[in-house]
Structure formats: structure tokens, C-alpha cells
Amino acid sequence: MEVSRREVLAGMAAMPLISMLDGEGAPAAGAAPAVPEVRLTWLEGRPGTAAASTWGTPWPKGVVPKGQTFALADGTPVQSWPLAYWPDGSLKWTAHAISADTPAESYTLRAGTPAKPATPVTVSDRQNHVDVDTGVIRARIGKSGTELIGHIWRGDVEVARKGRLVNLKQERIDEHEEKTTSLDRYESDIKKVVVEQAGPVRAVIRIEGGYAGKRGKSWLPFTVRLYFYAGAESIRMTHTFVFDRDGQHDVIAGLGVRFRVPMRDAAYDRHIRFVGEGHGMLSEAVQGITGLRRDPGAAVRAAQIAGTELPDPSTWDQRVTTRLQYIPEWGDHSLSQLSSQGFTLKKRTKKGYGWIPVDQGGQASGLGYAGGVGGGLAFGLRDFWQLHPTQLDIRDAHTDEAEVTVWLWSPEAGPMDMRFYHDGMGQDTYPEQLEGLNITYEDYEPGFGTPYGIARTHELTFWALPATPSAERLGTMADQLRTPPQLVNPVAHLVSAKVFGGLFSPVDRSNPARAAVEDHLDFLFTFYKGQAEQRHWYGFWNYGDIMHTFDEDRKVWRYDVGGYAWDNSELSPDLWLWYAFLRSGRADVFRFAEAMTRHTSEVDVYHLGPWAGLGTRHGVQHWADSAKQQRISTAIYRRFYYYLTADERTGDLMRALVDSDTTFLALDPLRKIRTEPYTPDPHALAVGLGTDWSGLAAAWLTEWERGGDPVAERKLKATMRTIAAMPNGFVTGEGLYDLDTGEFAPAEKKVSVSHLSAMFGQVEVCAELIDLVDVPEFEKAWLQYCRLFNATADEQTAETGASFGNLILRQGHSRLTAYAAVRLKRDDLAARAWKEFYTGDGYGPNLPWRAEKVASTLNPTEQAPWVSTNTTALYGLAAIQNLALIGGQITGP
């Protein structure tokens, strides 16, 4: 069987540290610098209960040799593996995992031999299934059929069984009051199972497949990962699906994960739990004996409320005992969160009988429990209310086998409408489409506003428990579900490792000029965080994104106006947020950036079809705009989250981009504005040297440093060399690229500069490349671009033969001037950079730098009409990078 290059690369990345690297590239004895110790802390503070965490740690170039083992100073067992390497072969990023019953306040990571877990997680990969044992629970994972997890045991007790994915599908959106469209049920159909890690602290199992119906039809390809930790009683699951329809036909009406739970206890010893907002909780028994006309006894009532085993019924008031058969058994319970602002609870005795309302609330935690005093299953969905419409269902809890379902898309919400939002309005030709762009800022083209190939990832957790947990325990479980424990590196270590281009420095308010910039950065983040909450930027496909531009008249963001609606990474807010975290270590910034990365990497990018590897420009729907480009899908936005958390799904997404240079055969980004005939030629593809090349370069760089992919390295270095060989380097604007050689053809001397070229990660990827690869002519070409973008027309003409024209985004480009100032050691450029920062076309120091309350909108909110996301992202990046590069020369406005 032929193995694809991508599968080979994936296999390399999955290899363990020692077996992959043993004996390779180790420095001579005594030659290597000492491996520094790194003090790790919890992002949101020490967890209050047992916790597992996986994180990444960077290392300075040339310091940590291949094959290095790591330990924690306090003896906590740790599992380690490589994430990336410096060109000299030394480790650049390593990943680590721990599982602790009683987490410490902090840990010290250092070179050494790791301690072994008392109860390591083990994996047995058999012909038809995979067995995983954490030392506390065991799970059997099927390799075919519908059941992802056939059984979960705790000791000898089976806690859950028949774990599968479920989907309700209907053929179309029914527009009539008389609903006639029927629903079909689809279930998981397993195609492939891979053991990615096998302990001793962490085990990862990847399951691939699709949702299949009774007639054999399949859709919604999925990737599920199951995470097991030594000594843990829980299983973490990530569920990713790709939407493989055009939005017109075949509609999701429900999507979830379902288990069966054996119910062995008496009905009065069976318990239902839902954690609502905060630690608010529904605590009920399947058969309640409180509130009756006859009192069974205070001790009996107290035990049922606490979830502990009731005394023998013979000890109760016999007027209750002899009438137990007349007390209803409530088998079905449901919590639905159909908006970010409200959930409802209902229950019924069983199928075929009426539901009764229980209560309502605001933002549910997403945690539920079904079981009894003899054990049960807790289940939860992270970002439950943010990703609405969601739902938790418990069915048949009064029988021998309950059914629990975590709905990622609630059936009560109605069908998921993915249709394009307008009829084209006569925009049939390119000239007509450009006219539309000039009025709504939407780049429309028939057939391009399709969701075919977009994706979404959810994170779930399942706990196999020995008994009904206490209210306090459930509260801490809900806390961990909402905010998974995450170990992080100190800011000082991140800075000293000189990763991500060395373009950030710690927050510093040591003088008034610095303090003012820091205050402005804080204001902008706080404002956007508040806008997400106040404007309800939530929902299945929307959560994690922010809006593009504000409407001062309606006092709302322009959610319904073409290219002014959802931002889709325009001008790199992803980079702004991640650099803001790296320099501050702030938990709220990390979580905001994390949600954005999850969204923009999945929803705004195509993963199937002819545009796989391309992202969609900003718009009313995340897939609406016809501009499908590298600048949105670029790996430069994903690298931070991958290296800080070792998240496998993010690694998959970046790996999928490594061959995205082939997308230029499928789609010409400049097709609407070219004035000369052009047919894509694999040996002469028109590729922009700005947003196009930077996206390709980020993917190649990441793949190369993750495992030494020779093709990625060759193409990366070939493009660097051939861009540098162009008479005007990056100022040339576009080159003819050969897919086979990875080279740009020799170019004539010309000038074609766009204000967008460097604003989608090119600054950051070039800084990394110049630090990694010694190609002096490439650095010279990049520094020329950095020097000249904000220079005078005379300076531009003198050096390149023509003026760059009337360019904008001068404030955002001040960081290019600052970079050139440092590399060339020129104080005049540093002074110019600060002048550009303060007087450019972005945010100035004399703005109000505050928000004002608004009462005339649908909900009371705040506004800052002068704020736009384009300017915010560029101001944030310019401020952060200028402070890091030339902060010592800041003069103030």
C-alpha cells in the first residue's frame, strides 16, 4: 500500500523522544551549555482537585541536545517528547505531560531522568480493539463499527458502554409551517484507529471515520482523539468534524456523543446532576422521597439530598416504604442551552409522557451526571454556552440502562442553516462584483460562498466515578471542564528562549511613555473582551471570532454589512493576542487567543475540496466571501497554541498546509483584477511575495522544524534564495513559482507594493527565518522592504526605480522600520519608527482611550466608535514589537 508523504510526516512526529533521536546530533562531551531549569505555574492558579496537563516549553538555540530527558524537581512523573528543533539539531520546543492527584503550586522542569508513575497508563493494541488502563479506569476502543468506546470499567464495575457518535440529518431546510421533512439518524462508522502515544503518563488514541446511515451513506468525516492520563478517572475527548456539503442539501439537525450507563441501584439511590451557572446545581434522585405527604425520616431525606446510600427501607416510616410503587420514577432529564444567555431544564417519567419544566438559568457549565451510589458517569462539554445551541440529555434512568447524550448541536434548536445569505443581487460578472465590493466591502462570486470543507472541534470529558460525587466535587469538576488546568512557562523564559522571532518583551511601565502604551494595550484587550460578552459573539460557528468594523449610527458592529462583519483573522488579531500573552502571561488573554485559534483554524479555513488549505476573507458568514487565500489559513497564526499546549489537532492543521502551494493551480487570488491573460502553470505559478508566500513559508518552516521534512526545507530555502535574487526583492510584489523546484523564476526589476503584503504574518515569519537560516541576501531584501515602506517617495524611487504609491497602515508598518533599525544598528530608523507609531494612520495618543456606555441598543453595552479591529490588531503588534525592539529609545508622542 502506498503511504503518502503527509502520513510519513505524521508518523515521524508521533515517534517518542528517545527512540527517534537516540545517538543523533549530540554535542561532544562537555561542549553543551547547561540546560536551564524552568519554573512552571498554573495559568489560573493551582487546581483544587486532581489534574492533568500537557504543555510545551521552549529552549534557546544550541542549549538542549537531541535525546535529552527531562524530570520535575519534586519527583512528579513527567512524560516528554520533542515538538521542534533548531537548525543545529538542538531542541527548540519540547512537550511534557503530568497527572497529579494533588497538584503543586508550581513545578521545576530540568534535565534528568523522569520518575515513573506509581500507576502508569498502559495501552494494548490488539487486532480488533485497543485497551487503555490508567490504573483507575479501563476503556476498550473499537477499531471498526459504530462504538468508539465499547466499555469503560472502574475496577470490575462497568460504568459506561456503547460510546458512539450520533447525528440527526434532514435533506433540506423546511420553509413551510407544515413541517414535512423527515429526520434520519446517522452514527459513527470507524475507519481507522491509531495509537499516537502509549504512556507512561499520557496515552492518545486517534479515531477517524464518518457518520453513516442505515442505507450505507456516509458524511461528516470526523477525527476523534481520546486522552488518558496515569491514575486518572476521566477520559478527555476532542471531536472534529468536517462539513462536506454545500449548505443547500443535507442539514445537521443534531450532533452528539452518546453512552449507555448501567443502572444497578434502587431507583431512590439513583441520582441526576446538572451543574448550572457557577456551582449552582440540580440535585435529584430518579425516585425522590423528599417532599412527600408522609416523611420517611430526616436521615433518609438527608442521605438522598447528599447522594449517599439510603438506609434500608425497613428502617423508614413504613407508610412510605409500603407505598414506594406509587412514587414516580423520573427517567428522562434534559438541559438545553439554546443561546448564550439562557438554559432550560425539563424532565419526564419516560418516553410517551409529558415533560414538565424544572427551572431556567443563564450560562450552564455543561456538566451532568447519571448514576447512583454504586457509581456512574459524569459527562461534560467545554464552552457549553459559548458554543450554543447545546444540550445534555439523560434518558431511561429508571431502567437497567440509562442513555446519556452530549449534544454539540441541540435537536431542539432546529436544523443548522448553512445556506448562503443572499441571491447575488445581479453580481454575475467580475466588474459587477467589484462594484458590489465598492459598496458593501464583500467580494462576492457565485458558488464561492460555500461551507463545503469547513470544520469545528469540540472538547469533552467523561468521568467514570465510583459513587455519586458530592456537590463540592461536582463544582470543582465543572471548574476544570470550563477551564482545563494548564501549566505555563514564565514570561522571562519565553523571552530568553528567543522563539517566535524574538519580537516581544515583558510588560514594562518603567517610564511614562512606556506606561502610556501599556495602558492603551490593556484598554484594547479589555474592550474586545467586554464586547464579546456584551454583543454576544458566541455560537456554534462564531465563538472565538470578533467583529471587523463598528457602525456609529446603529451603535452596533456591522454584523450584516458584507466585509465589515466577522473578522476572519484580517490583519492578524490572532498574532496580537498571542504576543500579548507571551509578554504578560495573562490567563484571560490566553483563553481569548485560544478560542480564536480554535475558531479561525477550523471554521475560516477549508479542509476538503478544491480550496483545501485556503481560508476565507472577512464577511457576514465565515465562508461567504469569494476571496479564498493563504493569508487566512497561514500556519503563523497556529504555531503559538501548538507549541504552548502540544495540541495534536492544531498540529494536524498546520501539517495539512505543507503542500498548499498546489492551491494556486486551483484558484488565482488575483483573478478579478488581472489585466493580462493568465492560466495557472505548475512551473510558472503567479504567487505573491507578501500574503501568499508568507503563508507558504510559515507552513514549510513549521514542518521543517517539527521533524526535518526535506521537501519543506528545500522549498523554504529555495524561495528565500530566489526572492533575494530578484533585483527588487520583496518590492517586486509577485513571482513565478515552480511547484517542482520550489523556486521563483528570475524577475525583472519592478515595483508592486501593497499595504497588506506584510500584515498577515510576513513580519513574524521573516524575523524567524533570518534568525534560523543564514542567507544574507534574503535578509538584505527583507530589510530593504522594511526600510522603504514608510520612507519618502524620493527614497523609494532612488533605490527601486519607482515610488510605492499612496500607501496606508503606516502605524502598523512602524514595526518594520523598528526591525530594520535593530538589524542595521541605525538610531535614525529607531527614531523614525516611533514617529510613525505615534503619527501614523492608526490610533494616536490623543484619542479618548475609554469606552462610553450605550443604552439605546437592544441591550445596554459600551462603545468606542473610533475602535476598529484592523487598527487594533496593527496597533497591538506595532506597540508590542516596537517596545521589544527599540523600547529603550522610546520618546513619547
Side-chain angles (χ1 to χ4, degrees), residues 172-407:
R172 63 186 182 279
I173 300 290
D174 201 330
E175 297 282 9
H176 304 288
E177 291 181 357
E178 302 85 6
K179 304 297 184 184
T180 59
T181 305
S182 62
L183 295 178
D184 294 317
R185 192 174 85 173
Y186 284 59
E187 293 186 339
S188 42
D189 181 23
I190 298 169
K191 301 297 185 184
K192 184 178 183 181
V193 175
V194 177
V195 177
E196 293 187 325
Q197 287 191 334
V201 174
R202 181 185 194 252
V204 184
I205 314 298
R206 187 178 81 246
I207 308 169
E208 298 176 5
Y211 286 79
K214 294 179 181 178
R215 287 174 283 185
K217 293 183 178 180
S218 181
W219 76 317
L220 303 180
F222 69 79
T223 299
V224 165
R225 279 186 169 89
L226 302 175
Y227 295 84
F228 301 84
Y229 286 85
E233 60 184 0
S234 62
I235 303 170
R236 176 176 174 256
M237 172 190 289
T238 60
H239 170 279
T240 300
F241 79 97
V242 181
F243 190 77
D244 57 345
R245 295 295 189 271
D246 64 4
Q248 300 300 313
H249 306 284
D250 292 344
V251 182
I252 293 173
L255 192 70
V257 182
R258 176 171 290 166
F259 277 91
R260 298 278 185 169
V261 180
M263 305 294 278
R264 302 179 181 89
D265 299 298
Y268 50 75
D269 273 335
R270 300 179 185 183
H271 306 118
I272 306 298
R273 301 288 187 265
F274 290 112
V275 181
E277 201 156 1
H279 287 183
M281 199 172 305
L282 176 79
S283 301
E284 296 200 351
V286 170
Q287 186 181 44
I289 50 81
T290 65
L292 299 173
R293 189 175 185 185
R294 307 302 177 193
D295 184 3
V300 179
R301 288 185 279 108
Q304 188 169 76
I305 295 299
T308 57
E309 186 174 8
L310 272 60
D312 190 286
S314 64
T315 66
W316 305 0
D317 186 315
Q318 291 304 294
R319 290 175 297 175
V320 177
T321 304
T322 58
R323 295 177 175 85
L324 278 174
Q325 67 271 29
Y326 302 121
I327 302 174
E329 295 180 359
W330 300 93
D332 295 355
H333 298 71
S334 181
L335 184 155
S336 58
Q337 180 94 43
L338 303 186
S339 80
S340 65
Q341 298 303 294
F343 67 84
T344 58
L345 267 165
K346 61 183 181 181
K347 71 178 184 179
R348 67 182 180 183
T349 54
K350 56 186 175 182
K351 185 178 181 180
Y353 293 85
W355 291 95
I356 66 167
V358 175
D359 207 343
Q360 301 178 17
Q363 298 169 338
S365 70
L367 179 69
Y369 169 82
V373 296
L377 184 73
F379 46 93
L381 172 64
R382 185 183 179 193
D383 297 324
F384 184 75
W385 59 267
Q386 294 95 327
L387 288 167
H388 69 83
T390 51
Q391 186 167 316
L392 302 178
D393 275 352
I394 299 170
R395 299 284 189 268
D396 300 326
H398 63 299
T399 69
D400 291 341
E401 188 179 68
E403 179 184 87
V404 301
T405 308
V406 180
W407 290 105

Side-chain angles (χ1 to χ4, degrees), residues 761-784:
Q762 186 163 29
V763 173
E764 292 72 25
V765 75
C766 283
E768 291 210 51
L769 290 176
I770 288 169
D771 184 50
L772 292 173
V773 184
D774 185 20
V775 183
E777 292 305 309
F778 176 84
E779 180 177 5
K780 180 181 178 182
W782 177 239
L783 293 179
Q784 177 193 49

Side-chain angles (χ1 to χ4, degrees), residues 544-558:
D545 206 355
I546 57 181
M547 284 279 173
H548 186 283
T549 304
F550 194 71
D551 186 331
E552 297 185 37
D553 297 309
R554 289 187 290 173
K555 301 187 185 303
V556 298
W557 292 79
R558 302 182 200 179

Side-chain angles (χ1 to χ4, degrees), residues 494-742:
L494 295 172
V495 172
S496 66
K498 296 184 179 179
V499 290
F500 301 126
L503 298 175
F504 62 98
S505 57
V507 173
D508 181 357
R509 288 184 164 85
S510 59
N511 63 51
R514 281 182 174 271
V517 175
E518 298 288 2
D519 289 345
H520 295 165
L521 288 170
D522 283 352
F523 165 79
L524 289 171
F525 173 74
T526 301
F527 178 70
Y528 273 86
K529 180 183 175 185
Q531 290 293 285
E533 297 167 355
Q534 297 164 18
R535 309 284 181 169
H536 310 120
W537 292 343
Y538 302 116
F540 189 97
W541 293 111
N542 297 330
Y543 175 55
D545 206 355
I546 57 181
M547 284 279 173
H548 186 283
T549 304
F550 194 71
D551 186 331
E552 297 185 37
D553 297 309
R554 289 187 290 173
K555 301 187 185 303
V556 298
W557 292 79
R558 302 182 200 179
Y559 68 94
D560 59 350
V561 183
Y564 293 113
W566 291 112
D567 192 68
N568 284 33
S569 296
E570 183 71 2
L571 299 190
S572 306
D574 317 58
L575 294 178
W576 160 51
L577 291 171
W578 280 119
Y579 278 110
F581 167 73
L582 293 173
R583 67 192 302 268
S584 69
R586 284 177 52 174
D588 54 352
V589 177
F590 180 97
R591 298 303 182 186
F592 206 83
E594 177 185 35
M596 181 173 287
T597 299
R598 280 285 190 223
H599 169 90
T600 58
S601 64
E602 302 274 13
V603 181
D604 299 345
V605 176
Y606 289 104
H607 310 274
L608 286 178
W611 302 326
L614 297 176
T616 300
R617 177 181 174 268
H618 41 103
V620 171
Q621 293 167 302
H622 297 284
W623 52 88
D625 202 89
S626 71
K628 315 295 185 182
Q629 297 180 345
Q630 289 281 334
R631 73 189 204 190
I632 306 303
S633 61
T634 175
I636 201 72
Y637 297 154
R638 329 296 177 211
R639 288 162 55 82
F640 303 88
Y641 188 59
Y642 175 70
Y643 287 132
L644 292 170
T645 68
D647 177 69
E648 281 84 0
R649 173 58 183 169
T650 306
D652 291 347
L653 293 169
M654 294 192 297
R655 176 153 288 141
L657 298 172
V658 72
D659 295 321
S660 61
D661 50 356
T662 60
T663 62
F664 291 91
L665 288 171
L667 193 65
D668 175 21
L670 302 181
R671 62 194 178 280
K672 296 187 182 182
I673 58 174
R674 287 199 189 277
T675 57
E676 300 292 332
Y678 172 74
T679 300
D681 178 343
H683 302 297
L685 283 173
V687 173
L689 305 184
T691 59
D692 293 340
W693 175 80
S694 65
L696 297 174
W700 293 331
L701 165 62
T702 306
E703 195 57 55
W704 173 38
E705 69 181 6
R706 285 176 68 185
D709 175 23
V711 177
E713 180 185 2
R714 175 174 58 81
K715 289 187 174 183
L716 178 66
K717 292 180 177 179
T719 54
M720 292 173 65
R721 185 182 68 254
T722 51
I723 289 172
M726 295 179 185
N728 270 344
F730 283 100
V731 176
T732 309
E734 186 180 72
L736 295 179
Y737 171 77
D738 189 317
L739 274 175
D740 292 339
T741 66

